[in-house]
Amino acid sequence: MCWNSFPKASTIILEPVLRPLECGKWAQCCLALFVIILLSSYWYVAALYAVWLYWDWDTPVSGGRRSAWVRNWTVWKYFRDYFPITLVKTVDLDPKNNYLFGFHPHGVLVAGGFGNFCTEATGFSKLFPGLIPHLLMLPFWFRVPFYRDYIMCGGLVSSDKKSASHILGLKGGGHVAVVAVGGAEESLDARPGALTLQVLHRKGFIKLAMKHGAHLVPVFSFGENELFYQVDNPRGSLIRTLQERLQKFMGVALPLFHARGVFQYSFGLLPFRKPIFTVVGTPIVVEKNTNPTNEEIDKLHTIYLEHLTQLFEENKEQYGIPDHRHLIIT
């Protein structure tokens, strides 16, 4: 029986699963819990956790601490089916190599990135046997007590350069660093129909791949921008200026998004039930170059953009984008 037959019932059941994707709210709950414990008669529990936190501080930049048990929770299958999310494989990837997946677009919550690379709900390990995915996330979130431990269980690691270098530098291959290239800034342009990618001047991931000889793989998540509306925030507007200043100051963007509620569809903070198809493209073979020149970086960056554009153009009509629509790369 299809979940869509009972949209309200399935939404009620899945609401606790979808809420944690709103990082700020879930992180606030974890921080509040820590403070409550600290101020209670069980303060010693918080003290012991603080000692643990100090000892464990570098784990998010050292490969994280994934849990196969958490990644295989049954609840993630309901999360997958809510939208639904589908992971699409185009070619086999040799597990003898390490890879850097460039994930596009960022969207508001990177729901496709989470569902495909932080859980086994869409069958990543079956589609790409021998590969271990690590989704990179802003370092800010790994400073929040309890929340950091929860997100690391899914394979999330810090987006700090040291973290990505650790993953791509692991011997024996089989590791994947998944980078939302457009970053938090790109989320400010995430709204239905948007095809703007902020990647033209982002070349750090290219240099990183070259330094470690990690193959580059463009990934396009069709439907990622369809999950939320966003308050109008054109460049130069007061809202956009404040958002950009916050992003530069804290490293965290604040898109003013809205979508649907539990019992009605006109307003709320739950994402719309729109299908997401995350297509993993063909790898670009990268030779190891520990000290690449700007010209070499620019050349590989151009090749990457060509592969990304080709991936989009070859698949767009199949996933509901008209032939006359094209990527806007800024």
Side-chain angles (χ1 to χ4, degrees):
M1 188 172 292
C2 181
W3 274 92
N4 287 321
S5 301
F6 302 96
K8 292 184 179 180
S10 61
T11 301
I12 293 172
I13 294 172
L14 286 172
E15 184 181 14
V17 181
L18 296 166
R19 288 293 187 185
L21 281 183
E22 299 171 26
C23 300
K25 293 183 178 180
W26 192 237
Q28 288 172 9
C29 291
C30 290
L31 182 59
L33 176 62
F34 178 79
V35 173
I36 290 171
I37 295 174
L38 182 63
L39 297 178
S40 72
S41 58
Y42 296 98
W43 60 268
Y44 54 89
V45 175
L48 288 173
Y49 181 84
V51 174
W52 156 259
L53 186 62
Y54 176 80
W55 182 81
D56 194 57
W57 191 254
D58 288 334
T59 298
V61 298
S62 303
R65 185 173 49 250
R66 66 201 299 112
S67 166
W69 176 64
V70 172
R71 289 175 57 86
N72 283 280
W73 279 352
T74 300
V75 71
W76 301 133
K77 295 180 181 179
Y78 296 125
F79 171 78
R80 173 199 64 196
D81 295 340
Y82 174 85
F83 297 97
I85 300 174
T86 304
L87 182 61
V88 182
K89 172 183 174 179
T90 57
V91 295
D92 291 329
L93 297 180
D94 189 346
K96 294 180 180 179
N97 303 312
N98 287 332
Y99 297 89
L100 193 158
F101 283 13
F103 183 88
H104 311 270
H106 184 287
V108 171
L109 296 179
V110 202
F114 178 84
N116 288 305
F117 305 120
C118 297
T119 81
E120 289 297 332
T122 57
F124 180 90
S125 294
K126 293 180 180 178
L127 288 173
F128 301 102
L131 295 184
I132 301 174
H134 307 264
L135 179 62
L136 276 65
M137 190 176 188
L138 288 173
F140 175 86
W141 301 113
F142 294 94
R143 299 167 189 161
V144 182
F146 303 132
Y147 183 70
R148 67 189 297 276
D149 303 289
Y150 164 66
I151 59 179
M152 278 196 289
C153 287
L156 282 153
V157 295
S158 172
S159 60
D160 186 277
K161 184 164 61 176
K162 178 182 176 182
S163 173
S165 292
H166 174 84
I167 294 168
L168 298 178
L170 290 171
K171 304 298 183 182
H175 291 273
V176 180
V178 185
V179 181
V181 179
E185 188 177 354
E186 190 176 88
S187 69
L188 300 179
D189 291 317
R191 50 175 48 85
L195 293 175
T196 300
L197 302 182
Q198 296 197 27
V199 63
L200 188 62
H201 302 292
R202 295 177 182 255
K203 303 177 183 179
F205 73 105
I206 298 291
K207 184 177 181 179
L208 193 62
M210 296 180 74
K211 282 189 171 183
H212 295 281
H215 296 351
L216 282 164
V217 181
V219 177
F220 197 91
S221 196
F222 292 89
E224 195 74 40
N225 281 339
E226 308 302 312
L227 307 184
F228 295 95
Y229 291 127
Q230 195 169 160
V231 173
D232 287 338
N233 59 341
R235 294 184 181 277
S237 65
L238 177 60
I239 292 177
R240 186 58 169 259
T241 300
L242 292 174
Q243 288 175 320
E244 291 175 344
R245 288 181 179 177
L246 177 65
Q247 192 270 324
K248 290 179 180 179
F249 178 69
M250 297 186 60
V252 179
L254 186 63
L256 301 176
F257 60 89
H258 60 92
R260 56 163 292 176
V262 178
F263 297 106
Q264 44 76 34
Y265 302 93
S266 58
F267 189 82
L269 296 179
L270 291 178
F272 291 119
R273 302 188 70 177
K274 299 290 186 179
I276 299 173
F277 296 92
T278 304
V279 184
V280 179
T282 304
I284 303 167
V285 177
V286 179
E287 297 296 331
K288 187 173 182 178
N289 183 348
T290 57
N291 190 28
T293 64
N294 289 335
E295 290 74 18
E296 290 171 327
I297 294 172
D298 289 343
K299 181 179 179 181
L300 182 56
H301 185 256
T302 299
I303 294 173
Y304 178 83
L305 291 181
E306 290 173 352
H307 276 68
L308 173 61
T309 302
Q310 181 180 355
L311 177 68
F312 174 79
E313 292 293 335
E314 289 178 351
N315 292 278
K316 64 181 183 182
E317 289 189 75
Q318 182 179 352
Y319 299 119
I321 298 178
D323 182 60
H324 69 274
R325 297 292 310 280
H326 305 285
L327 291 178
I328 302 172
I329 297 177
T330 60

